[in-house]
Amino acid sequence: MRILTTLILVLLAKIVLAGNPVKTVKICGTVTTPTVPEAELFLLNDPLFLSDKKYLLTLQNGSQFSYDLPLDDAGFAELKYGEAVQQIWLEPGFGLEISFNGLDFKKSLQFQGTGAAANNFLKNFYQAFPDLGQKIEGFMSGATAEDYKKFIFEIAEKRLQFITNDSDFRQSPVDFQVLFSKNENYWTGYQLLRYAFDKPLFEDKWDPLVLPEAYYDFLSRLHVITKGLLQSPDYQAFLDKYIEYLKIKPENNGKIASEIMGKNLSGEALWLFQAREIAKTFNSGKSDEARQMFSNFKKDCTAEILIQPLAKKLEIATIISAGIPAPNFGLTTPDGKMVSLQDLRGKIIYLDFWATWCARCLEEMPKLIDLSQKFPAEKVAFVFISFDKNPAAWREFVQNRALGGLQLWGEPMQNSEVARMYGVSALPTAFLIDAAGNIVKAGSGGFAIEEISNQIQQLLGSGK
């Protein structure tokens, strides 16, 4: 029997809830001979911290599921079944039926109904350019700047030809066509900008390359300052690299970043940079300075999509501060044992939030493990809470690396209760807790090893 999984996404018109119009997506589906007991839908709900909200489509009666979720605006989402993931496009008003074979998700994936054209295009587009990231990095490792630039333009031209010739794309909603075309431009711009920064890494060097200004002539054809693209990962990735490019330009040598960006950026591009600077200040523990920055930021910024996550972070930072009791939690170790913070009462605790996909976390982990061995285990505990999406992969990573400390799994960040309790929205984040269970240092984006070592020694000496 053909194993066919059918998801029916019926995007409803406005309904009235508590007097306010709310746009929703009703997701329901039937799975015949399912291979996993649930599908997942991820919506990007925070473009500042690039977090997403997961909707778990759990099967009822062994084969069916139904879910109503809010959808105010059109945008990209990710549909995941097992380990396979497909980017999809959702708009209020769509009536979209998605079907696929549970054993062969990507190849068998089909869309029908309103919105089918855009989603069939996305499926076919990404299938036409498989493993592109690996191919680009493989070529970059041995290529000169000009050869790499030519290589990227050749790929961009092939992608453009695919888009131009694809009938599903031409039948897609106009808003989708415009946004996707812009995304392609920024995808190309990002790939070209990254050469100066990523190429040296293949030779274990960290300083970016100094390239001829002619290499960057493609920037004159891109609108760096634009509007309405804050939820586009392609635009954000490009903008991040463009900011790094501005910093290394000879004429900007010695200037502070805020001065450079103030002269080169405006509108949403500048606001995104400023919002991230405020977030960094929050994470560094300078809460008073961050609050003042946020107050000034709100006077100019009109993008609520940036203001809201900052306001939430500020609110949580006010609650989770030095001197208050550390919120209790109960989480599992790699071997399935449940451990709570209360179990460690009487010890000084270094609490570190991390994930295997966090490069900075992986860089700091060996140093923290070494530091943990300098203190008596009966008096000091180093606790590491992972936000990895796949607990099995996390367990394998921890066991293969023989990581020390107390390793716990906190679920993916966007759905984690412990992340909410501690206000964690970026990694790494760390807390120092005294033997009485009170927070000593809070909300950092990771402490310097010497700093945390000195503070632990002070706490041991004071008996706290």
Side-chain angles (χ1 to χ4, degrees):
M1 179 182 293
R2 180 183 181 188
I3 301 175
L4 183 65
T5 305
T6 303
L7 309 179
I8 304 173
L9 279 69
V10 182
L11 284 81
L12 304 178
K14 292 182 180 179
I15 64 173
V16 176
L17 180 62
N20 296 320
V22 178
K23 301 173 183 177
T24 66
V25 179
K26 182 175 180 61
I27 301 179
C28 54
T30 301
V31 180
T32 304
T33 318
T35 56
V36 294
E38 61 205 13
E40 297 168 310
L41 185 68
F42 295 90
L43 298 179
L44 181 67
N45 68 331
D46 183 352
L48 175 55
F49 299 111
L50 294 178
S51 64
D52 50 31
K53 186 171 182 61
K54 180 175 75 171
Y55 295 91
L56 192 61
L57 311 178
T58 304
L59 300 183
Q60 304 295 327
N61 301 321
S63 62
Q64 297 178 332
F65 62 83
S66 180
Y67 202 106
D68 291 349
L69 65 107
L71 183 70
D72 292 329
D73 300 301
F76 292 105
E78 285 187 345
L79 180 66
K80 181 178 181 183
Y81 190 75
E83 295 301 313
V85 180
Q86 173 65 43
Q87 185 183 67
I88 62 174
W89 175 261
L90 299 177
E91 287 189 25
F94 273 7
L96 183 64
E97 179 181 325
I98 306 175
S99 64
F100 57 87
N101 185 305
L103 292 176
D104 195 359
F105 173 76
K106 286 205 168 185
K107 289 186 178 179
S108 64
L109 190 59
Q110 296 293 329
F111 298 89
Q112 295 180 343
T114 310
N119 285 288
N120 278 319
F121 162 75
L122 286 173
K123 179 202 69 172
N124 294 329
F125 180 77
Y126 289 114
Q127 285 185 0
F129 300 95
D131 304 320
L132 194 51
Q134 296 178 10
K135 293 176 182 177
I136 289 174
E137 291 192 0
F139 187 87
M140 179 196 298
S141 64
T144 65
E146 285 305 313
D147 286 343
Y148 176 78
K149 185 177 180 181
K150 181 180 178 182
F151 177 71
I152 293 299
F153 275 133
E154 288 174 350
I155 295 175
E157 180 61 29
K158 291 178 182 178
R159 287 164 66 107
L160 178 60
Q161 289 178 1
F162 185 98
I163 294 170
T164 303
N165 297 329
D166 189 83
S167 60
D168 284 321
F169 183 79
R170 294 194 299 272
Q171 296 172 26
S172 300
V174 173
D175 288 348
F176 171 80
Q177 293 185 41
V178 171
L179 180 58
F180 194 87
S181 297
K182 288 182 178 180
N183 283 349
E184 272 300 288
N185 291 333
Y186 295 117
W187 178 89
T188 303
Y190 164 75
Q191 298 298 340
L192 292 170
L193 281 174
R194 65 186 289 229
Y195 180 86
F197 302 92
D198 294 358
K199 168 68 173 179
L201 300 180
F202 291 102
E203 300 175 1
D204 294 324
K205 298 178 182 178
W206 297 96
D207 293 333
L209 298 175
V210 178
L211 301 178
E213 193 61 30
Y215 176 86
Y216 298 101
D217 59 6
F218 62 90
L219 289 172
S220 63
R221 303 191 293 275
L222 275 174
H223 296 287
V224 175
I225 301 167
T226 188
K227 186 176 181 180
L229 287 178
L230 288 178
Q231 288 179 292
S232 164
D234 291 320
Y235 175 67
Q236 287 210 30
F238 162 77
L239 188 60
D240 286 343
K241 276 290 179 278
Y242 181 71
I243 288 172
E244 293 302 312
Y245 157 73
L246 291 176
K247 290 178 181 178
I248 66 171
K249 292 188 71 173
E251 61 265 34
N252 291 328
N253 186 35
K255 296 180 181 178
I256 61 175
S258 58
E259 178 185 357
I260 298 171
M261 303 315 148
K263 290 183 177 179
N264 291 274
L265 301 177
S266 64
E268 291 182 352
L270 179 60
W271 294 335
L272 180 61
F273 166 78
Q274 293 172 336
R276 288 183 173 172
E277 290 299 296
I278 296 171
K280 289 178 184 177
T281 306
F282 275 135
N283 287 339
S284 68
K286 301 175 182 177
S287 57
D288 291 339
E289 181 181 342
R291 289 188 183 94
Q292 185 58 52
M293 292 170 65
F294 182 61
S295 177
N296 295 332
F297 177 73
K298 289 192 296 182
K299 295 176 183 178
D300 298 322
C301 179
T302 61
E304 284 296 321
I305 202 169
L306 296 177
I307 292 176
Q308 290 177 4
L310 279 175
K312 181 179 179 182
K313 190 174 182 69
L314 176 59
E315 177 185 354
I316 295 174
T318 302
I319 298 172
I320 304 298
S321 58
I324 71 167
N328 190 35
F329 55 78
L331 300 171
T332 57
T333 63
D335 58 4
K337 179 183 177 181
M338 178 67 71
V339 176
S340 71
L341 188 67
Q342 186 66 33
D343 295 337
L344 304 174
R345 180 62 64 87
K347 295 184 180 183
I348 297 166
I349 300 170
Y350 178 81
L351 181 61
D352 186 275
F353 293 94
W354 72 293
T356 60
W357 45 259
C358 168
R360 170 104 180 269
C361 301
L362 297 182
E363 181 182 345
E364 293 297 323
M365 181 68 74
K367 302 174 186 177
L368 292 170
I369 297 299
D370 288 344
L371 179 63
S372 70
Q373 297 173 356
K374 297 180 180 180
F375 298 102
E378 65 273 13
K379 293 185 178 181
V380 183
F382 279 70
V383 181
F384 301 89
I385 297 179
S386 168
F387 289 138
D388 278 272
K389 293 183 178 181
N390 187 331
W394 162 73
R395 286 193 294 270
E396 182 179 359
F397 184 92
V398 169
Q399 292 166 352
N400 289 346
R401 302 292 180 95
L403 296 183
L406 179 58
Q407 300 286 343
L408 303 172
W409 185 59
E411 298 188 340
M413 188 191 302
Q414 66 271 18
N415 299 299
S416 172
E417 179 65 14
V418 70
R420 183 194 64 77
M421 290 191 298
Y422 280 83
V424 181
S425 58
L427 298 180
T429 293
F431 295 83
L432 184 62
I433 303 169
D434 65 21
N438 297 317
I439 294 175
V440 176
K441 190 172 180 61
S444 172
F447 304 129
I449 297 299
E450 183 178 353
E451 175 189 7
I452 201 64
S453 177
N454 291 338
Q455 288 193 306
I456 292 175
Q457 290 174 349
Q458 290 174 12
L459 289 174
L460 287 172
S462 66
K464 292 184 178 180

